[in-house]
Amino acid sequence: MGKLTDISYIKPLLGRFGFTFSKQLGQNFLIDESVCPRMAEECGAKDCGVIEIGPGVGVLTKELSSVAKKVVAIELDKRLEPVLETTLADCDNVKVVMGDAMKMDIAELIKTEFDGMDVVICANLPYYITSPLIMSLLEKRVPVKAITVMVQLEAAERICAECGTRECGAVTVAVRAYSNPQMLFRVNRDSFLPAPNVDSAVIRLDIKDTPDIGKTTPRHFTKTVRAAFSQRRKQLANSLSSGLGIGKADAVSALENAGIKANARAEQLSLDDFKRLTDTLFEEDV
Ligand code: SAM
């Protein structure tokens, strides 16, 4: 079998199965042979269970298979099923599951597929699910040690930003609350087929044993953060009021009690500000 990073091998292979690239599904396949071995090593897959989201033709899956105990790869595009059957035929420790990673119960999948193993997630993510998927995995506290993903460079910068900076979004706050993020390395746009318009980066989120959300519950913390960023250009009192369905006066007094100016914007708040704000908003509703 040819190399899965070799265009002269994969183009005819995909052609044989009548496959054409879908922009909608974020299908940019890796053709740089240095990237996947590095991802497989730096994601901590060695002797662990690995969940991959979006295997494409299986280029990263193969590398993960060579270091991990077991790999479960979730692919949405049914047209890739026969391709993966061919390219991963020799990988006995890989199971391909066809379906939408956004709709799957990943915690349940871990229970049934990785009994007793430490589990990590490693993926070259389709750009359109980057933030919702990461937020969902973190907020549901899916039991994994780390999440290593390749995402568009701008998304990587937002995800790894500090709270209280211009780049900060809801995903940044969730990432800081539930993990320690790290930018691993950049990947040039020419490393993909077809080449996207932007460069990418690989980041790793090491999951904290205990989430850093203060006294509040994950549900209340999530509600506060999502409401705060629901209209990021608006002042916090307004976005909290409409995002949480409470009166503006109540939003103002919660902000004051938390020691935050009512005209502040979500991106100006530190993680501690979000913790205090959640406490004051939901103090009687635990
Ligand atoms: N891992 C391959 C690589 O690095 O070359 C492919 C990465 S490509 C950026 C994203 C992959 O995710 C595609 O195979 C696409 O079909 C798949 N995909 C898109 N949306 C998905 C979803 N919701 N659930 C699972 N897979 C998805």
Side-chain angles (χ1 to χ4, degrees):
M1 189 189 297
K3 276 191 182 169
L4 296 177
T5 46
D6 180 356
I7 305 184
S8 65
Y9 175 69
I10 50 170
K11 270 192 170 167
L13 174 79
L14 290 170
R16 251 196 349 216
F17 291 99
F19 178 86
T20 49
F21 290 91
S22 159
K23 209 172 175 177
Q24 245 180 344
L25 290 180
Q27 288 176 340
N28 302 96
F29 294 169
L30 271 165
I31 49 164
D32 178 334
E33 60 181 339
S34 70
V35 176
C36 293
R38 197 165 167 195
M39 276 184 85
E41 193 194 319
E42 297 193 25
C43 75
K46 194 162 168 41
D47 299 329
C48 285
V50 183
I51 298 176
E52 186 192 4
I53 292 150
V57 295
V59 65
L60 175 60
T61 327
K62 257 187 174 249
E63 292 298 335
L64 291 168
S65 158
S66 69
V67 291
K69 224 181 228 170
K70 178 175 178 181
V71 181
V72 173
I74 305 168
E75 175 57 60
L76 177 60
D77 190 342
K78 281 206 158 56
R79 299 173 305 159
L80 289 168
E81 193 170 16
V83 180
L84 287 163
E85 271 164 19
T86 308
T87 57
L88 300 176
D90 297 340
C91 301
D92 294 336
N93 61 347
V94 174
K95 177 171 178 176
V96 176
V97 177
M98 299 308 294
D100 186 342
M102 288 298 296
K103 295 187 182 148
M104 254 177 220
D105 184 341
I106 306 279
E108 189 56 37
L109 182 130
I110 290 173
K111 237 192 247 166
T112 52
E113 298 291 344
F114 298 106
D115 187 31
M117 289 181 218
D118 281 341
V119 178
V120 299
I121 292 177
C122 184
N124 171 13
L125 282 186
Y127 67 92
Y128 77 102
I129 57 170
T130 301
S131 290
L133 181 76
I134 290 175
M135 286 187 74
S136 159
L137 293 169
L138 293 171
E139 289 171 352
K140 287 182 183 150
R141 304 204 57 213
V142 166
V144 294
K145 306 235 8 132
I147 300 173
T148 301
V149 281
M150 174 160 354
V151 297
Q152 292 188 346
L153 183 59
E154 198 187 317
E157 284 166 351
R158 191 171 60 251
I159 292 165
C160 295
E162 297 282 350
C163 297
T165 60
R166 273 180 72 83
E167 297 79 30
C168 175
V171 69
T172 319
V173 182
V175 162
R176 291 282 164 181
Y178 294 97
S179 75
N180 294 309
Q182 206 184 330
M183 189 76 94
L184 294 182
F185 58 93
R186 284 172 76 145
V187 180
N188 191 276
R189 65 196 74 182
D190 298 333
S191 303
F192 301 92
L193 176 74
N197 296 326
V198 290
D199 293 337
S200 292
V202 179
I203 59 172
R204 191 179 69 221
L205 313 177
D206 292 314
I207 306 302
K208 291 176 178 171
D209 291 335
T210 313
D212 191 5
I213 58 171
K215 290 176 280 174
T216 187
T217 62
R219 189 168 71 87
H220 288 159
F221 187 76
T222 299
K223 271 184 146 185
T224 305
V225 173
R226 287 182 186 248
F229 283 99
S230 59
Q231 295 161 294
R232 58 179 297 142
R233 293 193 197 294
K234 287 209 172 161
Q235 296 183 352
L236 264 175
N238 292 320
S239 36
L240 288 175
S241 164
S242 63
L244 295 173
I246 59 175
K248 186 164 172 195
D250 289 340
V252 170
S253 85
L255 285 162
E256 274 169 4
N257 290 339
I260 300 163
K261 287 190 187 129
N263 66 356
R265 288 183 167 74
E267 69 207 36
Q268 296 170 318
L269 267 52
S270 67
L271 182 57
D272 283 340
D273 289 333
F274 275 109
K275 292 193 262 182
R276 280 198 320 280
L277 178 59
T278 312
D279 282 343
T280 55
L281 280 165
F282 294 98
E283 59 192 351
E284 281 148 32
D285 177 25
V286 182

